Amino acid sequence: MRIFIQMIYRYKSLLIFAGVLFLCNCNNENSEADAIAIKNISEAAVKTDTTRIAAINQPQLNFVRPGTPVPLKNMFGINGYEWNFLENPFSPNDRKHIYEDKYALIKNFSAVRHYLNWNRIEPEKGHYTFNPSLSGGWDYDIIYQRCKQDGILVLADLKNSPGWMYDTYPTNSRDNDNAPVFYGKNLSDPASYADQARTAFQFVARYGYNKNIDKALVKVYTKKRYSDDVPNEVKIGMGLIKYIECGNERDRWWGPDETHQTAEEYAANMSAFYDGNMGKLGPDAGVKTADPNMQVVMGGLASADIKWVQRMIDWCKKYRGYKKDGSVNLCFDVINYHLYSNNGDVRTHKRATTGIAPEISNDGSIANDFVKLAGSLKQSPDVWVTETGYDINQESYQKAESIGKKTVLENQADWILRTSLLYIRYGVKRVFFYQLFDDHAGGTSQYATSGLAEGLKRRPAADYILQATKLMGDYNYLKTISKDPLVDVYQLGNKTMYILTIPDETGRSANYTLDLGKASKANIYHLKIGADMMDKGQVNTTNGKIKINVSETPVFVEALK
């Protein structure tokens, strides 16, 4: 029903009602019903109607979150692959040099979640290769070195089962999304995941920061691919990677049974991956065995189900116990989930029909629940969202639609930036968008056309991310002082910035009087498609206040003394 009403609002230029009509759509059994209110329209000025945000999805006003503040740039990560760095169409066989034209696009983002298929670095059991990998010829040393040089955080997501493992399954059950165990193994036993734990050890021993590792435990396969090839060599503690993720969407409910794991089975998997099941799998198994300071990120959950995480915590209480300080001996350092804003509900598998603006989705309440769960643990682990985004193809149920005079790409840009602004309000520490390029350009399925770049050019969403980063990427979120329009306050030292947004998807705008305290002037910044920097204007304040027109595209205000 919500979609039907929104279609009326978008395509009718004038609607006049004498009263107020409320229509409810109970999409989320865990949330209050969303309410769509049609406001009275005065004869003096016609205002576009608005979709109101359910109270449970609204931010708390003037709440300063305790703990380490989060800079805005942490909300601007991207998902990508090794070929996004190294595949040069003018030199297709050269995979030892960064392709600078594409890398220029990657540098628009503060972090990269690298989808790293296990088979790439261990194409045969026990044969570890990194520079080059025997599967694909990729040079991971070069990718990670360049990212560190340019201040780009890398989350290495070690995912999928290698061929030599899933080939042990019956022919009709062979799938690289199978649980990472040999056929017939007990998914509830951490020892079943020993091979993955050993691969994680080798990766972390190489790219982590710990140099004090027994060299006899670190291995690479030195066989050359051809006579003048440069063979792999052992390297220890290169200091390039701080975060590693175990698998991807292991709570999947689709696909064959062999690809599924319960929360308890995945906790057993993570226990092996994390520290070799508390050292029981030997001196060369587990991330923490190689580098105790490496942070282990839970594989992003497809269902955004907080109960799944709680079941993992309960498993840890039972099988890993408690530390001396009384904290649960967890098998992860970062809680991680995926969520795409739409009018469905992934937690109940209710299928969506369209993407929607992040603020009117249930994203806020879900983020709040995850952050509260994390805060209930003594370690208070970070919460990350490592996949979110919108398609541009209009046949996808995850599409961003055109609104008013805005094109689909322009609206995708609005919603992408506003997604970052939403998550930082709720205490999520990092966000990674799916993904750098379209997975299938022109494809009609969900997530096929979510790219933030195309060819060698940024899409508007990437323009906005670059401009926001340049203007105030190092500013820390402080608090929100208004709900409609949303007015967020950021600080860096003694400098203050405000971001103002109408949290809607109807093309609505409104005037807002912003109190800048003792500021005598203000810089006002407007996002500009196709540019590296925002447009800037300056105004004088009246008793420290300015009146500003706010729309569904965020506007930025800098207070000047």
Side-chain angles (χ1 to χ4, degrees), residues 22 37 52 63 72 92 96 105 109 111 121 147 178 259 277 284 327 332 354 376 463 472 488 494 498 507 538 554 561:
F22 290 95
R52 286 186 177 170
F63 172 64
L72 180 60
K96 293 188 69 67
L105 298 171
F109 304 93
I121 60 174
C147 284
N178 285 356
T259 68
N277 194 31
D284 63 345
S327 63
F332 56 83
T354 186
S376 72
D463 289 337
M472 52 176 294
D488 300 322
N494 62 357
Y498 301 83
Q538 190 173 100
K561 301 296 185 182

Side-chain angles (χ1 to χ4, degrees), residues 53-124:
I53 306 171
I56 197 171
N57 289 311
Q58 293 181 3
Q60 184 177 348
L61 294 186
N62 296 304
F63 172 64
V64 179
R65 192 172 299 278
T68 305
V70 180
L72 180 60
K73 65 184 178 184
N74 283 18
M75 301 295 107
F76 299 144
I78 195 70
N79 282 271
Y81 306 85
E82 48 265 51
W83 46 87
N84 298 151
F85 291 85
L86 300 177
E87 196 167 64
N88 184 342
F90 303 104
S91 185
N93 295 322
D94 178 8
R95 295 182 173 178
K96 293 188 69 67
H97 295 90
I98 298 293
Y99 179 36
E100 298 294 344
D101 289 346
K102 277 191 177 177
Y103 184 67
L105 298 171
I106 294 171
K107 289 197 294 184
N108 292 305
F109 304 93
S110 63
V112 173
R113 180 175 180 241
H114 175 207
Y115 290 115
L116 177 60
N117 282 13
W118 179 358
N119 196 67
R120 299 284 184 195
I121 60 174
E122 192 180 0
E124 299 176 17

Side-chain angles (χ1 to χ4, degrees), residues 480-531:
T480 299
I481 60 174
S482 172
K483 294 181 180 179
D484 194 348
L486 284 162
V487 181
D488 300 322
V489 184
Y490 288 75
Q491 287 186 338
L492 179 63
N494 62 357
K495 296 186 290 186
T496 303
M497 293 282 292
Y498 301 83
I499 306 179
L500 297 83
T501 315
I502 294 289
D504 210 340
E505 54 174 32
T506 61
R508 182 164 61 94
S509 64
N511 289 325
Y512 180 79
T513 299
L514 179 62
D515 189 343
L516 300 176
K518 297 181 180 180
S520 60
K521 296 182 179 181
N523 288 331
I524 302 177
Y525 299 88
H526 292 279
L527 295 154
K528 185 176 182 180
I529 291 173

Side-chain angles (χ1 to χ4, degrees), residues 55-286:
I56 197 171
N57 289 311
Q58 293 181 3
Q60 184 177 348
L61 294 186
N62 296 304
F63 172 64
V64 179
R65 192 172 299 278
T68 305
V70 180
L72 180 60
K73 65 184 178 184
N74 283 18
M75 301 295 107
F76 299 144
I78 195 70
N79 282 271
Y81 306 85
E82 48 265 51
W83 46 87
N84 298 151
F85 291 85
L86 300 177
E87 196 167 64
N88 184 342
F90 303 104
S91 185
N93 295 322
D94 178 8
R95 295 182 173 178
K96 293 188 69 67
H97 295 90
I98 298 293
Y99 179 36
E100 298 294 344
D101 289 346
K102 277 191 177 177
Y103 184 67
L105 298 171
I106 294 171
K107 289 197 294 184
N108 292 305
F109 304 93
S110 63
V112 173
R113 180 175 180 241
H114 175 207
Y115 290 115
L116 177 60
N117 282 13
W118 179 358
N119 196 67
R120 299 284 184 195
I121 60 174
E122 192 180 0
E124 299 176 17
K125 181 176 167 60
H127 291 173
Y128 306 104
T129 60
F130 304 97
N131 71 325
S133 64
L134 293 193
S135 175
W138 311 105
D139 193 319
Y140 297 109
D141 290 8
I142 288 174
I143 293 173
Y144 299 149
Q145 285 168 341
R146 187 62 180 274
C147 284
K148 182 178 180 180
Q149 173 187 316
D150 292 330
I152 299 172
L153 178 143
V154 174
L155 167 60
D157 182 13
L158 186 63
K159 63 188 239 348
N160 296 109
S161 291
W164 48 266
M165 179 172 282
Y166 67 71
D167 278 347
T168 64
Y169 286 72
T171 303
N172 61 355
S173 299
R174 293 174 183 173
D175 191 320
N176 66 4
D177 282 321
N178 285 356
V181 299
F182 285 104
Y183 180 69
K185 290 287 186 177
N186 180 2
L187 298 186
S188 298
D189 183 359
S192 298
Y193 305 94
D195 287 276
Q196 187 194 47
R198 293 189 187 102
T199 304
F201 174 91
Q202 295 296 330
F203 182 90
V204 173
R206 185 181 190 86
Y207 295 119
Y209 283 74
N210 182 21
K211 294 183 177 295
N212 298 316
I213 301 175
D214 183 354
K215 193 171 183 178
L217 297 174
V218 182
K219 304 173 183 177
V220 294
Y221 188 56
T222 58
K223 182 179 178 181
K224 294 183 178 182
R225 295 169 296 169
Y226 41 84
S227 59
D228 60 346
D229 192 17
V230 177
N232 272 260
E233 60 179 312
V234 168
K235 296 181 182 179
I236 294 175
M238 294 180 70
L240 301 177
I241 302 290
K242 292 183 178 179
Y243 295 92
I244 186 169
E245 182 177 353
C246 179
N248 183 57
E249 298 186 340
R250 295 311 310 162
D251 61 332
R252 55 190 289 135
W253 60 90
W254 64 94
D257 288 346
E258 291 82 1
T259 68
H260 298 168
Q261 287 174 291
T262 66
E264 293 75 19
E265 290 166 349
Y266 182 60
N269 184 171
M270 287 275 326
S271 187
F273 189 89
Y274 189 79
D275 57 6
N277 194 31
M278 300 176 290
K280 296 176 184 178
L281 301 182
D284 63 345

Side-chain angles (χ1 to χ4, degrees), residues 6-18:
Q6 288 170 356
M7 287 173 65
I8 294 175
Y9 295 166
R10 288 175 183 171
Y11 295 110
K12 295 291 186 182
S13 60
L14 179 63
L15 292 171
I16 301 178
F17 290 82

